[in-house]
Amino acid sequence: MSSQAKPLRVAIGGDEAAFQLKEVLIEHVRSLGHEVEDFGTYNAEPILYPDVAVTVAESIAEGRFDRGILVCGTGIGVAIAANKVPGIRAAQAHDTYSAGKARTSNNAQIVTLGARVVGSELAKDIVSTFLGKSFPGGPSAQKVAKISEYEARLSGGEV
């Protein structure tokens, strides 16, 4: 298992372009000792990835899962869709440094990857790094709080 104190509850989803990578990542997350739930797609038939991305993001925003992994062809579309859910910070990462910083500097709950951009071994390393990091707070906490303030203000909500 990663350096986390307890197993994480991980939501995963993707589109048909990343179906095979998603399947690899499900097994990898389980091998790290975490719980994982697959939100689809369940085959290589075309789907609308925003539906899966928003469902995964909502499950995290509601507290049912600790972290999320979203995959599509580039990782861009699922990141954009997931970030529409209030309180969610989804970060695209195609290297381990960015995956780690997504957690330690930005407190991202979701990592997004592109199946047409990274191979399965690198994707597993990225996911391991992302799941193995925690948000330490510190100077980055003010930045994350400021993002939340803007989100609340721009959506007409309260902080």
Side-chain angles (χ1 to χ4, degrees):
M1 187 175 353
S2 70
S3 62
Q4 296 293 321
K6 64 177 185 153
L8 296 171
R9 295 166 299 149
V10 180
I12 189 168
D15 69 2
E16 74 281 356
F19 172 69
Q20 290 180 347
L21 179 60
K22 179 182 64 83
E23 296 299 303
V24 167
L25 293 176
I26 288 170
E27 291 309 312
H28 179 65
V29 171
R30 286 185 179 135
S31 78
L32 296 173
H34 302 298
E35 301 171 28
V36 63
E37 185 167 328
D38 183 359
F39 283 78
T41 188
Y42 306 106
N43 56 49
E45 294 298 315
I47 64 158
L48 297 174
Y49 64 76
D51 295 335
V52 173
V54 168
T55 301
V56 166
E58 287 176 333
S59 75
I60 293 166
E62 293 165 358
R64 296 186 0 237
F65 293 89
D66 303 306
R67 305 269 177 81
I69 302 165
L70 288 168
V71 290
C72 66
T74 62
I76 298 168
V78 288
I80 292 169
N83 280 317
K84 299 298 181 189
V85 175
I88 290 299
R89 290 172 302 281
Q92 181 190 36
H94 289 144
D95 58 80
T96 57
Y97 179 79
S98 298
K101 294 305 269 184
R103 285 292 305 139
T104 62
S105 292
N106 304 112
N107 198 16
Q109 308 105 315
I110 299 173
V111 65
T112 72
L113 301 98
R116 295 178 178 139
V117 181
V118 299
S120 61
E121 292 305 311
L122 177 55
K124 289 192 286 189
D125 288 344
I126 290 166
V127 165
S128 292
T129 298
F130 181 77
L131 297 178
K133 299 286 184 181
S134 60
F135 181 63
S140 293
Q142 288 181 313
K143 297 168 189 171
V144 172
K146 191 64 163 180
I147 292 168
S148 295
E149 287 175 25
Y150 280 121
E151 179 180 53
R153 189 185 87 202
L154 296 171
S155 67
E158 297 289 324
V159 177

